[in-house]
Amino acid sequence: RKEVEQDPGPFNVPEGATVAFNCTYSNSASQSFFWYRQDCRKEPKLLMSVYSSGNEDGRFTAQLNRASQYISLLIRDSKLSDSATYLCVVGGSQGNLIFGKGTKLSVKP
Amino acid sequence: GAGVSQSPSNKVTEKGKDVELRCDPISGHTALYWYRQSLGQGLEFLIYFQGNSAPDKSGLPSDRFSAERTGGSVSTLTIQRTQQEDSAVYLCASSLAKNIQYFGAGTRLSVL
């Protein structure tokens, strides 16, 4: 089982749609969780951290279910500028980050 | 600048040559990481430096790869006798201890 697995995508949605990404991780001892965003030919940038209680930042909501080892990201009212690859990331025991392969989102007018 | 700086931004080399990639982390960040990303693939962890501790080299794919971090700041990733499969984007990130990582723009390496 891969350490971090994500929906393969791509997701093609119209502007204004709500889209959800899912992710599972294999190491139950993982302590930190993030969603990063990566634009084409650019470096990954932190979108948001994910907390056990769930957290929201504007149109973005992240959820963590430790029992199921499952992380989600919900994007409401999607914009053209949301088009990117979304990376599910889990903090490894050594301090490094373990990245999923990413889910590509394309928001169309 | 305030961000992580990597150089060169692009490097084209011939198979069998050695290359050095440089990373300047954010000032004050104690942790430094190297990753690589092949076309269409996820990020692959290579090596991690934390302060003065011995680096975690568990992700280095072969003994042709090595990295050092001088004075707890600048890091150099060296690839000896490059192979075509080494072609990828090499990304450096820095953070405060085990906190959020901030990435440089990467070095795009092409081995002909």
Side-chain angles (χ1 to χ4, degrees):
Chain A
R1 180 181 175 186
K2 293 179 182 169
E3 292 189 83
V4 179
E5 292 199 69
Q6 294 185 240
D7 282 350
F11 284 60
N12 298 306
V13 303
E15 267 187 296
T18 296
V19 60
F21 302 137
N22 304 313
C23 169
T24 57
Y25 60 96
S26 61
N27 185 352
S28 60
S30 299
Q31 293 296 318
S32 55
F33 309 90
F34 310 92
W35 283 100
Y36 274 69
R37 168 189 170 135
Q38 187 172 25
D39 291 282
C40 188
R41 300 176 74 87
K42 298 287 189 181
E43 72 274 20
K45 293 185 179 178
L46 178 70
L47 178 65
M48 58 197 303
S49 300
V50 187
Y51 305 115
S52 296
S53 55
N55 49 299
E56 186 173 309
D57 182 2
R59 298 181 293 107
F60 299 82
T61 301
Q63 297 277 353
L64 168 65
N65 184 321
R66 286 186 182 271
S68 302
Q69 295 176 211
Y70 172 92
I71 306 162
S72 66
L73 176 69
L74 184 76
I75 305 176
R76 291 182 300 278
D77 188 25
S78 52
K79 311 292 185 190
L80 296 177
S81 57
D82 294 334
S83 297
T85 296
Y86 290 83
L87 305 171
C88 176
V89 186
V90 175
S93 60
Q94 304 299 320
N96 59 304
L97 296 180
I98 301 169
F99 287 77
K101 290 195 172 183
T103 301
K104 186 174 181 179
L105 172 66
S106 180
V107 181
K108 305 292 187 184
Chain B
V4 177
S5 177
Q6 290 188 245
S7 61
S9 54
N10 287 282
K11 176 71 177 179
V12 180
T13 191
E14 293 178 352
K15 178 182 172 181
K17 300 280 190 182
D18 297 352
V19 295
E20 285 189 353
L21 313 179
R22 177 187 167 105
C23 174
D24 274 285
I26 293 172
S27 178
H29 280 193
T30 56
L32 186 148
Y33 309 78
W34 283 98
Y35 298 87
R36 76 175 173 181
Q37 187 171 32
S38 301
L39 189 63
Q41 300 297 311
L43 271 75
E44 175 189 2
F45 166 73
L46 297 178
I47 188 169
Y48 160 48
F49 296 89
Q50 172 59 56
N52 295 319
S53 303
D56 172 8
K57 303 179 181 180
S58 60
L60 294 178
S62 78
D63 58 8
R64 296 186 295 103
F65 288 73
S66 63
E68 61 179 23
R69 189 180 184 192
T70 54
S73 182
V74 172
S75 177
T76 302
L77 176 70
T78 301
I79 309 173
Q80 296 177 308
R81 304 181 304 282
T82 51
Q83 303 295 312
Q84 288 183 331
E85 61 263 27
D86 298 335
S87 296
V89 176
Y90 288 81
L91 290 157
C92 175
S94 72
S95 72
L96 285 171
K98 293 186 179 181
N99 214 321
I100 295 163
Q101 295 183 19
Y102 297 88
F103 284 82
T107 294
R108 188 173 301 275
L109 175 65
S110 299
V111 181
L112 304 180

